Amino acid sequence: SYSLVANGIGCEGSEFIGDALKMNTTLTTLNLSCNNIRAEGSKFICSALSENKALTTLDLSGNWIQDEGSLLFDLVFKNNTLVALSLLNNSLGDEGLEFCLALKA
């Protein structure tokens, strides 16, 4: 379990996190809430999760991912090990919420 809450990771840091997640084989819980990752940074995290087979819980709350970023989460749901994903306070509109709900089904 690792928490990087409110560390100012941003989009640039998200790329490094994504690279690390691609190689990860042991970390199961990661909290990246309140890091201003935004839609652009979420693409690195989502891409990594399509390859990661260890992470079971991911918190991306409060990162301003918005609808644009939520459309990338189809990559996340290709990951069969992730069982909990928090997207609270990301300004997801109707389009983003509908997309995420459709992926869950």
Side-chain angles (χ1 to χ4, degrees), residues 18-88:
D19 290 343
L21 285 173
K22 286 179 183 178
M23 297 182 292
N24 169 54
T25 59
T26 57
L27 183 67
T28 58
T29 301
L30 180 60
N31 188 339
L32 295 174
S33 60
C34 303
N35 274 294
N36 202 28
I37 289 172
R38 300 189 177 265
E40 187 178 339
S42 70
K43 69 182 176 185
F44 301 114
I45 305 294
C46 291
S47 176
L49 289 176
S50 69
E51 299 177 31
N52 181 289
K53 302 300 179 211
L55 205 66
T56 59
T57 304
L58 176 62
D59 188 343
L60 289 173
S61 301
N63 278 295
W64 291 94
I65 291 171
Q66 301 178 313
D67 283 348
E68 178 187 349
S70 70
L71 301 178
L72 301 166
F73 283 98
D74 63 329
L75 295 171
V76 172
F77 287 98
K78 291 179 182 175
N79 175 329
N80 293 326
T81 56
L82 193 68
V83 294
L85 173 64
S86 179
L87 295 172
L88 295 170

